[in-house]
C-alpha cells in the first residue's frame, strides 16, 4: 500500500497555517493511485483546514485515511472563507474507504452556537454516495451542528466513535443517516444526540452505544410531508445517562407549520429497540409519535429498563399510530417502588363525536405489584358538543393498580389526565365569529414561564369558519428568552390559524415572536391586511408569515419587519400586495425542500418596498436540504409566480435569487418592473437563476440573464 503523507505536500501541522491546499494535493495523489493507498495525517500535529471536499471515485479499490493527528475547523463564522457553509469535511463518491486512527476532529462550533441555527454548517464530517465505508476510533467534538452525516451510502460501519459537545450547544446531533442501507454503528459513545434525517433508509444497526446528556437518544425523525420508507432498523445494547427522549420516533419533526391536510408520510416498519437501560431526563421516556396518515408497523420493544434521572419524577410512554410488540420486561420503574411498571396501549379506533374533532384513545396503567396481563377490552364514548365526554370500560379494575392515565388526542394536540375516579370533559373548538383585540396580549416570558409541554404554538385558532380578528391591539410574543437557546425548542408560531375558512385578520401588531409570527395551515379564503410584524434583526428564525396547504390568500397593506416565509406544499392563489420589508433576512420568499412534494401556483407579489433587506426576491427550493441532495425524483412544482412593481435596497449582492429544484423546473415566472439598488454604495447587485423559466417585463434591475425580455 502506497503512503501519501500530507507533510510531503506542504502541510505545516501547527494548527495556525492553512493546510487545506496540502490536503487536497495529498488526496488527489492518494485517490489517483492504481494500487491500495494510504493518506497519512501524522500524530502530534494539528492541521487547520477550511471547508474541504474529497471527491471520488478513486482508482484503487481500497483507500485508507490514517487520522493520527488532529484537525481543526475555522474558528467561528467570520473565519470561514467560503460562502458554501453546508459542510466542513466532505467525502463524496468513494468506494472501499476506511477512516481510522486515534486522531481528533475539532469543529470549533462555539462561535456558531451564539447565532441563528439557520446559518450553521450542516455537518462537520459528511460522507455522501460512499460504499463499503469503515470509520473507527476517531473522536469528533464541538461541531457547529451535526457531527457526522451519511447520505446515499451503502454498506457502512462506524465503530468506536466518540462524539461530544456541550449540553447547551444547539442542534449538535451526533449522526444523521439519510437514503442509506446496510449501516452498522456500534461500540460508540455519542455525547450530543443521535438523529436520523431519514428518507429511504433500510438495514441500519446501532449497537453497543452510550448516550450521555444528549437531547435525543435512539431517534428516527421524519417530516410529515416526507415520502419514502424506513425499514429494518435495529437499536440494541444501549445505555442512557440523563438523556432526553431516550427512545423516540418523531414523524412530526419541524411540523409546527405543516399539519393541515397533508396526506404524505414516510413509512416506518421493522424497528427494534432491544436491551436498553439507563435514565431519562424527560417524563416521556418512550415516545413513538408516528405519522397520522401512515402508521408505524412492526415496532418491537425488547427488554427496556428506564428510570427517571430525577428522583421525584415518574416516567411514562406515549404512542401515536404505532403498532408492534413488547417482549420481556418493557417498563420504566419508579425510584420509590422498583417493582412498579407502566404499560400502554393505543386503540386503533377513532371517534368523531358530532363535530369536527376526531379523538383517538390511548391508555396507560402503572402497576405497583407487577403485570398480570390485564388491560381494558374496549372503550365506549358518549357525550358531544358542550356535554361531558365519558369513557366507560367493560371490565373491572384489577387489584394492584396504583394509578392510570388516559390520553385523548386531537388532530395536533395531546392531553393527559388521571382517569380515576371521575369522567372527563372535552369541549368543542371555539366557535365565536369575531375576536376584537383592543387591548394587548403578552406571552409567557421565556421558556421557564411556559407551563405546557406542548410548545408548538402560543395562540391557536382551529377549525373556525367566518372568523375576523381585528382591532388596534398588540400581541407581544416575548421571544427574547427563547432566542438565546437552541431553535429546536422554540414555539413554532405565536399566532396560528389552522383549517379555517373565510378568515379576516386586520389592523393588529404582532412582535418579538419566539419563532414564526403568524402561520396559516390548511386555510381557504383568507385576507390579512394592515398587519404590522416586527422583531429585532438578530432574532433567529422569526419569520413573518408562513403559509402551508392553503388557497385563496390575500396579504396586503402590511409591514413585515422580520421576514416572510412560506412552508409551502399545495399552495395556490396567494396575493401579497402593498407590503413593506425593513431589515429582514428574506423579502418575498417562496421556500420548499428538495424532498418535498406538491405544487405552488398562482402566487402574486405586488407593490413591494424593501429597505436594507437580505434576499429581496427569492425562490429557494433547496431550503435546509443539506441532507437530501441525493433525492433525484422529488421536488415541489412551482408555476405562475409574479413579482410586480418592487423597489428598494438589497443587503445581499444577489438581489433576485430564483434557485429552483434541480429536478422540477419553475415555470411561468414573471418579473415586472423591478428596481433594486445596493444598500451599501460600494456593492454591486446581481441576479441568479437555477432551472427557472422567466419573463422580464419592462425595466428589471438587476437584470436576470437568460430571461425572456418584453418591453412595455
Amino acid at each position: 500500500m502506497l503512503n501519501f503523507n500530507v507533510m510531503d505536500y506542504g502541510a505545516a501541522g501547527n494548527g495556525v497555517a492553512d493546510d487545506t491546499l496540502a490536503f487536497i494535493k495529498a488526496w488527489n495523489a492518494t485517490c489517483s493511485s492504481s494500487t491500495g493507498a494510504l493518506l497519512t495525517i501524522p500524530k502530534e500535529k494539528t492541521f487547520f483546514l477550511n471547508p474541504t471536499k474529497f471527491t471520488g471515485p478513486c482508482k484503487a479499490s481500497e483507500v485508507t485515511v490514517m487520522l493520527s493527528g488532529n484537525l481543526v475547523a475555522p474558528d467561528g463564522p467570520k473565519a470561514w472563507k467560503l460562502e458554501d457553509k453546508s459542510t466542513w469535511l466532505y467525502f463524496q463518491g468513494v468506494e472501499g474507504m476506511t477512516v481510522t486512527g486515534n486522531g481528533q476532529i475539532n469543529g470549533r462550533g462555539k462561535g456558531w452556537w451564539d447565532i441563528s441555527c439557520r446559518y450553521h454548517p450542516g455537518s462537520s464530517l459528511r460522507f455522501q454516495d460512499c460504499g463499503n465505508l469503515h470509520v473507527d476510533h476517531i473522536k469528533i467534538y464541538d461541531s457547529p451542528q451535526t457531527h457526522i452525516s451519511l447520505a446515499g451510502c451503502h454498506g457502512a460501519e462506524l465503530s468506536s466513535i466518540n462524539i461530544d459537545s456541550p449540553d447547551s450547544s444547539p442542534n449538535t446531533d451526533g449522526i444523521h443517516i439519510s437514503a442509506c442501507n446496510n449501516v452498522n454503528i456500534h461500540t460508540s459513545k455519542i455525547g450530543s444526540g443521535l438523529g436520523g434525517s431519514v428518507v429511504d433508509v433500510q438495514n441500519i444497526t446501532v449497537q453497543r452505544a452510550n448516550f450521555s446528556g444528549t437531547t435525543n437518544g435512539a431517534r428516527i425523525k421524519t417530516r410529515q410531508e416526507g415520502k419514502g420508507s424506513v425499514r429494518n432498523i435495529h437499536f440494541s445494547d444501549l445505555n442512557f445517562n440523563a438523556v432526553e427522549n431516550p427512545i423516540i420516533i418523531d414523524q412530526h419533526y419541524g411540523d409546527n407549520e405543516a399539519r393541515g391536510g397533508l396526506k404524505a408520510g414516510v413509512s416506518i416498519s421493522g424497528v427494534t429497540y432491544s436491551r436498553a437501560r439507563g435514565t431519562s431526563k424527560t417524563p416521556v421516556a418512550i415516545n413513538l409519535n408516528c405519522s397520522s396518515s401512515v402508521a408505524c408497523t412492526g415496532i418491537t420493544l425488547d427488554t427496556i429498563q428506564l428510570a427517571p434521572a430525577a428522583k421525584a419524577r415518574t416516567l411514562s410512554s406515549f404512542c401515536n399510530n404505532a403498532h408492534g410488540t413488547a417482549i420481556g420486561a418493557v417498563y420504566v420503574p419508579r425510584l420509590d417502588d422498583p417493582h412498579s411498571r407502566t404499560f400502554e396501549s393505543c386503540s386503533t379506533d377513532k371517534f368523531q363525536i358530532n363535530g369536527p374533532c376526531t379523538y383517538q384513545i390511548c391508555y396507560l396503567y402503572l402497576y405497583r405489584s407487577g403485570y398480570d396481563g390485564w388491560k381494558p377490552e374496549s372503550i365506549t364514548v358518549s357525550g358531544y358538543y358542550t356535554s361531558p365526554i365519558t369513557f366507560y370500560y367493560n371490565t373491572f379494575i384489577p387489584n394492584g393498580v396504583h394509578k392510570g392515565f388516559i390520553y385523548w388526542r386531537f388532530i395536533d394536540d395531546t392531553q393527559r389526565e388521571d382517569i380515576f375516579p371521575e369522567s372527563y370533559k372535552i369541549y368543542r373548538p371555539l366557535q365565536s365569529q369575531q375576536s376584537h383585540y383592543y387591548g394587548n396580549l403578552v406571552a409567557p416570558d421565556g421558556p421557564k414561564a411556559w407551563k405546557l409541554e406542548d410548545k408548538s404554538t402560543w395562540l391557536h385558532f382551529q377549525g373556525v369558519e367566518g372568523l375576523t380578528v381585528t382591532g388596534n391591539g398588540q400581541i407581544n410574543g416575548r421571544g427574547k428568552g427563547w432566542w438565546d437557546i437552541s431553535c429546536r425548542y422554540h414555539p413554532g408560531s405565536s399566532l396560528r390559524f389552522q383549517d379555517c375558512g373565510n378568515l379576516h385578520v386586520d389592523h393588529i401588531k404582532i412582535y418579538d415572536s419566539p419563532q414564526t409570527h403568524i402561520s396559516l395551515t390548511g386555510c381557504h379564503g383568507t385576507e390579512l391586511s394592515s398587519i404590522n410584524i416586527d422583531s429585532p434583526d438578530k432574532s433567529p428564525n422569526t419569520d413573518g408569515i408562513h403559509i402551508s396547504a392553503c388557497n385563496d390568500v390575500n396579504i396586503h397593506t402590511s409591514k413585515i419587519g422580520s421576514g416572510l416565509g412560506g412552508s409551502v406544499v399545495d399552495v395556490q392563489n396567494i396575493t401579497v400586495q402593498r407590503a413593506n420589508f425593513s431589515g429582514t433576512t428574506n423579502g418575498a420568499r417562496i421556500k420548499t425542500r428538495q424532498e418535498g412534494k406538491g405544487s405552488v401556483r398562482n402566487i402574486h407579489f405586488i407593490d413591494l418596498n424593501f429597505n436594507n433587506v437580505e434576499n429581496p426576491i427569492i425562490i429557494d427550493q433547496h431550503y435546509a436540504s443539506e441532507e437530501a441532495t441525493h433525492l433525484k425524483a422529488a421536488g415541489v412544482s412551482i408555476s405562475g409566480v409574479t413579482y410586480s412593481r418592487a423597489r428598494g435596497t438589497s443587503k445581499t449582492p444577489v438581489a433576485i435569487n430564483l434557485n429552483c429544484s434541480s429536478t422540477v423546473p419553475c415555470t411561468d415566472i414573471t418579473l415586472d418592473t423591478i428596481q433594486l439598488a445596493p444598500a451599501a454604495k460600494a456593492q454591486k447587485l446581481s441576479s441568479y437563476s437555477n432551472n427557472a423559466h422567466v419573463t422580464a417585463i419592462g425595466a428589471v434591475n438587476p437584470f436576470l440573464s437568460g430571461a425572456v425580455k418584453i418591453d412595455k
Side-chain angles (χ1 to χ4, degrees), residues 159-211:
S159 64
S160 301
I161 306 296
N162 188 340
I163 296 175
D164 192 31
S165 283
D167 293 343
S168 58
S169 56
N171 289 331
T172 52
D173 291 354
I175 302 171
H176 269 195
I177 303 169
S178 78
C180 295
N181 60 73
N182 298 323
V183 176
N184 188 350
I185 304 170
H186 62 89
T187 324
S188 296
K189 178 183 177 183
I190 301 169
S192 194
L194 175 69
S197 179
V198 286
V199 179
D200 295 323
V201 172
Q202 58 180 320
N203 304 331
I204 309 295
T205 299
V206 179
Q207 56 184 339
R208 296 190 298 280
N210 298 305
F211 300 81

Side-chain angles (χ1 to χ4, degrees), residues 10 28 32 64 95 155 157 314 343 384 435 513 518 551 556 560 623 665:
N28 289 340
S32 299
T64 299
E95 292 284 332
E157 182 180 21
T314 300
F343 294 87
Y384 56 90
S435 296
S513 178
I518 298 175
N551 60 72
H556 62 89
I560 300 168
Y623 179 76

Side-chain angles (χ1 to χ4, degrees), residues 8 17 40 46 89 139 168 224 278 298 301 306 330 361 384 398 470 486 576 586 614 626:
D8 296 334
T40 299
T46 298
L89 305 174
K139 178 177 181 178
S168 58
Q224 178 66 19
L301 300 173
L306 297 174
V330 177
I361 311 304
Y384 56 90
T470 186
S486 169
V576 179
N586 293 283
E614 299 179 26
E626 185 269 331

